Amino acid sequence: MCRTSYCHISSLRHARNCLDIGTAREIASCIVGSRLDYCNAVLYGTSKQNLHKLQLIQNTLARVVVGARKRDHITPVLRQLHWLPVVYRIQYKMAILTFKAITTDKPGYLSELISFDQPARQLRSSAHRRLTVTKCRTNFGSRAFYHASPAVWNGLPSVITSNLSTLDAFKRAVKTHLFEQSLHP
């Protein structure tokens, strides 16, 4: 994936002078951004080394789109493009997939894996709509959807998870939250 992404970035670099920033951003998102988002559920919990490789791809792509130099700091460039770093993109996609499984019960095989936490007695946190976290014995098991989905969902603020209005509103709220979190870790 890294090799083909860099090949596409190189092609975009050659054509970048002929494109305005909006068009370059769209091409970058379609060609390379889709590769970064491919199988985010599988990438959740992967090693820091693999995440670093993907982050380098995104950083190079952002520099090509904006026309920044290699030595320029990448955070302002990502902020200008309004792109989430790879770690937060994975969390974003997991949150969206969980939202769809909760609200539409589709896909059925994923919605069967998650359930809301029902405490034995009434607690103040009962209104927060937390998901039941299953126990895992292995690191590999903690990357599975039935464990990763509740971990990401319960990590979101209760303001976002308790107000399940529309998919667009949820996407906007989650992206804003993760974008602020990525700027101030």
Side-chain angles (χ1 to χ4, degrees), residues 50-60 78 85-87:
N50 288 337
L51 290 175
H52 181 70
K53 289 177 185 178
L54 296 175
Q55 188 61 53
L56 289 176
I57 292 170
Q58 186 186 34
N59 294 352
T60 305
L78 291 176
V86 173
V87 174

Side-chain angles (χ1 to χ4, degrees), residues 59-165:
N59 294 352
T60 305
L61 182 64
R63 285 186 175 101
V64 168
V65 169
V66 173
R69 294 183 318 230
K70 188 175 182 178
R71 300 274 184 205
D72 291 345
H73 193 62
I74 196 64
T75 304
V77 175
L78 291 176
R79 189 180 307 141
Q80 177 186 352
L81 293 171
H82 210 267
W83 287 354
L84 288 169
V86 173
V87 174
Y88 295 101
R89 285 171 77 111
I90 293 169
Q91 290 179 6
Y92 174 76
K93 294 295 183 175
M94 287 292 292
I96 299 304
L97 193 58
T98 304
F99 177 84
K100 289 178 181 177
I102 289 171
T103 57
T104 63
D105 290 331
K106 292 181 182 167
Y109 62 92
L110 291 181
S111 61
E112 293 173 357
L113 297 176
I114 55 177
S115 62
F116 285 103
D117 190 21
Q118 299 294 330
R121 56 191 167 98
Q122 189 66 19
L123 302 171
R124 284 183 288 168
S125 63
S126 298
H128 294 298
R129 298 183 52 96
R130 299 286 180 207
L131 295 178
T132 304
V133 179
T134 56
K135 296 191 189 310
C136 288
R137 288 185 279 168
T138 63
N139 186 25
F140 187 72
S142 67
R143 295 175 57 192
F145 182 80
Y146 70 89
H147 182 76
S149 175
V152 170
W153 184 265
N154 294 344
L156 295 173
S158 60
V159 174
I160 296 173
T161 58
S162 61
N163 185 13
L164 301 177
S165 55

Side-chain angles (χ1 to χ4, degrees), residues 40-51:
N40 274 339
V42 176
L43 292 174
Y44 181 83
T46 190
S47 68
K48 289 183 181 181
Q49 181 181 8
N50 288 337
L51 290 175

